[in-house]
Amino acid sequence: MSLIDLLTGNTGNQVAEQAENKFGISRNQVIALLAVAAPLIISYLRNKSQDSNEAEALNNALDKDHDGSILDDVSQADARQTEGGSILSHIFGGDKQNVENQLSQNTGISIDKIGPILSMLAPVIMGYIGREKQQNNVGAGGLGDLLGGILGNASNQAQAQQSSPLNDILGSVLGGGQSQSSGNPLNDILGSVLGGGGQQKQQGGGGLGDILGSFLGGK
């Protein structure tokens, strides 16, 4: 299953419905948030996995806690919200508050809800990575390539699908910042993460705002 299939298929829609019912926000806003958060999380993990110790820790976490079963029972997302918060704190570190602020501004989801919703989404994204890891029989040493491949495949698929419901959702929720370039909001998000993620992250904490600003049309 590709990343875009995850976002646009039953899993993405079921998680969005849960969040809509729990937090009283638009399902389209949740899907848009998932579409932005998923490649951002994967990009951060890809960068972390360049360190052998981080790669081993991620590999162990995926084997132990993220076998992909959550994709078959997304009701787990709500129950694992606390765990999701811990996942995000580890992935983003000191950038976490900045991430939440930027995503809140650009999706219109209030700052008091953005963290809890992201915490619901994180175990789903990790479950997706864990399932891809299992299906491709990848160990710690191959995680960077696996994660890069997920992003690359999603970018290629977005290019091939210039018009799609997900692009429409992203365009309407995130505004016109993306459509001014390629006309494909999802492709612009993925392209900027792929093109700038690694380089920006090496700059430390200041890199995140640049990444988010570039693909969200941020302030």
Side-chain angles (χ1 to χ4, degrees), residues 67-164:
D67 60 1
S69 62
I70 193 171
L71 304 181
D72 303 316
D73 178 18
V74 293
S75 65
Q76 293 181 41
D78 188 17
R80 296 175 69 175
Q81 185 177 323
T82 301
E83 174 194 347
S86 298
I87 291 170
L88 294 171
S89 294
H90 177 74
I91 292 173
F92 294 132
D95 288 340
K96 185 171 181 286
Q97 189 62 52
N98 197 4
V99 170
E100 293 180 358
N101 287 337
Q102 289 280 358
L103 293 177
S104 175
Q105 288 176 24
N106 287 281
T107 60
I109 298 173
S110 63
I111 192 65
D112 62 312
K113 293 181 180 178
I114 199 88
I117 296 171
L118 282 171
S119 296
M120 280 183 63
L121 301 181
V124 176
I125 297 167
M126 292 294 287
Y128 168 73
I129 296 170
R131 180 164 288 182
E132 290 296 301
K133 171 180 141 52
Q134 287 181 351
Q135 291 179 347
N136 290 278
N137 195 27
V138 170
L143 284 175
D145 289 339
L146 175 71
L147 296 168
I150 290 172
L151 291 171
N153 290 337
S155 183
N156 292 336
Q157 189 175 349
Q159 288 177 357
Q161 298 176 353
Q162 286 293 321
S163 177
S164 74

Side-chain angles (χ1 to χ4, degrees), residues 176-208:
Q178 307 80 13
S179 58
Q180 293 168 4
S181 47
S182 77
N184 184 332
L186 180 60
N187 186 53
D188 291 340
I189 289 170
L190 291 165
S192 64
V193 170
L194 282 168
Q199 184 180 25
Q200 299 281 12
K201 188 65 181 75
Q202 291 167 7
Q203 297 173 0
L208 175 74

